[in-house]
Structures are given as C-alpha cells and as structure tokens.
Amino acid sequence: MVQPETQSDLQPDFNKGNGLLPVITQEYGTNEVLMLAYMNKESFEETLKSGKATYFSRSREKLWKKGETSGNMQSIKEIRIDCDNDTILIKVEQAGGAACHLGYKSCFFRKTDNNGLLKIVEKRIFDPKEVYK
Amino acid sequence: MVQPETQSDLQPDFNKGNGLLPVITQEYGTNEVLMLAYMNKESFEETLKSGKATYFSRSREKLWKKGETSGNMQSIKEIRIDCDNDTILIKVEQAGGAACHLGYKSCFFRKTDNNGLLKIVEKRIFDPKEVYK
C-alpha cells in the first residue's frame, strides 16, 4: 500500500469542502461504481495507513471504517485525485461482494427506464437483517 | 431521453446537500469515471429535458451546460441514483473524447504510484489553450 510519509504530491484540498471531500469508490477491475462517501483529512490518512477504505460519516459525525459492522471491508488497490484536488477516487476490492447497506453490490442498484421510472437492476447479495443485527 | 413529467419515482433529495448533490459522470460502455460535478434541481431538470449533462457551477454560481464553451457536450445514456437519494450517477457519451478542462479524457488522469506519488497516466486529447480562447 501507499505510505503516507511519501504522499508529497497527493494533497487533497480539504478546505474546499469545509473539511469533507467526496470520494468515488469503484470496484477494481470492472470499474463499477460501488458508492460515494466522504473523507476528512483524518479518515483519508487512516485509509492510506491501513489500506482499508475509511470514510467520515456525516450522519454519525465520526470516522467510519467501511465494513466494521458487516465485515465487508474495502481493500485499496488504487488512488486517484481529480484536476481540482477536491474529489478523490479509489478503486477497491470489496469483501463480501456488496458495498450497499441494503445488500446490493452497488448503492446505485436502481436506474431509470425509458419512461423515466426507477427500476432495480441488480440482485441482492445479502439480507441486511442478517448482517446488521 | 427520459421525460421529466414521468419522473414520479426519481426524486433526488436536493435538501440533503443544501440544494446541491454530487453527480458522478461515467463514460457509457467503459464505465470510466470522467468527472464529478454538482447539480441543483434546476440543472437536473434541464439535464432530463435536454438529454445533455447540465451541472451547477459552484464557482460561477450558475447553470453550466457541459461543453457550452469547448463543444464537448455529454449525451445522457443512463441515469442512476444511490440508495440514499443523495448522489446521482449518469452514464454519458462524451463528445470530443475529453471531459477534463485540462484536455484529458477524465479529470482523474493522475494516480498514485507504489511510492504514493502522483503520476499522470493518461494522454492529453486536446490543448486547453486552443479550446478555451
């Protein structure tokens, strides 16, 4: 994994988002977008150090190591940053095959059909009731 | 394209982001992430109506039809929304082959190497000086 002490060039501008930047999480290999969450400086550094995606939960207002409850951790394979240094993109290996707390691989499991109505287009991987007790 | 009047089920919760929600833009077909930008309700409705990605520019504080200057418009092929209804994902066909104002296909044209240093990993498609005069 990347080492934080060598991150001389990777400097997300956390000031731009009042301390929080959006993070796009893609599945390594397929490039499927699994989720979008937020990181502050502390969670970003914890992600670099641990090699596991660690976000900042806006609702709980604290660090959130993805998978700490479900066991479905995300191992970092690649880190990118956008041209403005205010969006982070990570590519991960998703343990358990599902990132969404509703049991789907991706949080984006619904898409609009030709009539503009939302349809579920993925199969559920796990039952949330069994995972979050 | 989807028609706004039939969007009974697609209801992004713009209140969650103080009126602005993040939008992940992927290239249709490859799933490469091209950029992340923001939409308010008006730009979202304009996107649905026109079939072309229309964002809200936070710096200019106004609607921003992507490609209005460069000509590199984004034609909407698919719209998804996440489980919390607070992140939008669109898949587009990118005119001109480049989404980034710096001339790269993707705004995420830099990634960290094994030493944690950022490296440019894409080729420039156009020269910004020629496009933005």
Side-chain angles (χ1 to χ4, degrees):
Chain A
M1 241 320 280
V2 289
Q3 297 303 315
E5 61 266 32
T6 59
Q7 294 299 310
S8 58
D9 237 352
L10 176 59
Q11 299 285 358
D13 188 355
F14 288 101
N15 292 327
K16 278 197 187 171
N18 291 319
L20 289 183
L21 294 182
V23 180
I24 301 167
T25 307
Q26 279 184 296
E27 183 180 53
Y28 186 70
T30 68
N31 278 344
E32 184 173 348
V33 172
L34 299 176
M35 57 186 282
L36 180 134
Y38 295 83
M39 286 187 190
N40 64 359
K41 190 165 188 293
E42 188 187 357
S43 64
F44 180 65
E45 287 171 354
E46 175 60 25
T47 297
L48 295 178
K49 194 173 134 193
S50 66
K52 307 290 182 190
T54 306
Y55 305 101
F56 183 84
S57 168
R58 296 183 301 169
S59 55
R60 288 178 283 156
E61 296 186 338
K62 62 173 192 173
L63 289 204
W64 161 38
K65 177 149 283 199
K66 174 70 182 166
E68 63 192 345
T69 305
S70 65
N72 295 344
M73 293 208 164
Q74 295 175 334
S75 299
I76 307 290
K77 300 296 286 181
E78 192 175 310
I79 301 179
R80 294 186 179 225
I81 194 161
D82 77 339
C83 48
D84 293 326
N85 294 315
D86 61 3
T87 302
I88 298 161
L89 185 150
I90 58 177
K91 298 192 181 187
V92 305
E93 281 178 353
Q94 174 66 60
C100 181
H101 73 294
L102 296 178
Y104 295 91
K105 179 179 179 181
S106 164
C107 293
F108 298 91
F109 59 87
R110 298 172 300 167
K111 75 171 178 183
T112 54
D113 65 12
N114 288 334
N115 295 314
L117 295 171
L118 279 175
K119 294 278 162 73
I120 293 176
V121 291
E122 289 192 19
K123 283 187 184 161
R124 222 166 199 163
I125 307 287
F126 68 77
D127 180 350
K129 286 180 198 156
E130 294 296 316
V131 170
Y132 303 99
K133 289 174 182 171
Chain B
M1 244 319 282
V2 290
Q3 296 303 315
E5 60 266 31
T6 59
Q7 294 297 312
S8 58
D9 237 351
L10 176 61
Q11 298 285 358
D13 188 354
F14 287 102
N15 291 326
K16 278 196 187 170
N18 292 319
L20 289 183
L21 294 182
V23 180
I24 301 167
T25 307
Q26 279 183 296
E27 183 181 51
Y28 186 70
T30 69
N31 278 343
E32 185 173 347
V33 172
L34 300 176
M35 56 184 284
L36 181 133
Y38 294 83
M39 286 186 189
N40 64 358
K41 191 165 187 293
E42 188 187 355
S43 65
F44 180 65
E45 287 171 353
E46 176 59 25
T47 298
L48 295 179
K49 194 174 137 194
S50 65
K52 306 290 183 190
T54 306
Y55 305 101
F56 183 85
S57 167
R58 295 183 301 171
S59 55
R60 288 177 283 156
E61 296 186 338
K62 63 173 192 171
L63 289 204
W64 161 38
K65 177 149 285 199
K66 173 71 182 166
E68 62 192 346
T69 306
S70 66
N72 295 344
M73 294 212 163
Q74 296 175 334
S75 299
I76 307 290
K77 300 296 286 180
E78 192 176 311
I79 301 178
R80 295 186 178 223
I81 194 162
D82 77 339
C83 49
D84 293 327
N85 295 313
D86 60 4
T87 303
I88 298 161
L89 185 151
I90 58 177
K91 297 191 182 185
V92 305
E93 280 178 355
Q94 174 66 61
C100 182
H101 73 292
L102 296 178
Y104 295 92
K105 178 178 181 183
S106 164
C107 293
F108 299 90
F109 58 86
R110 298 171 300 166
K111 73 171 179 182
T112 54
D113 65 11
N114 289 335
N115 295 316
L117 295 172
L118 279 176
K119 294 278 162 75
I120 293 176
V121 291
E122 289 190 20
K123 283 188 182 159
R124 221 165 200 166
I125 306 289
F126 67 78
D127 180 349
K129 285 180 202 156
E130 294 296 315
V131 170
Y132 303 99
K133 286 174 182 170

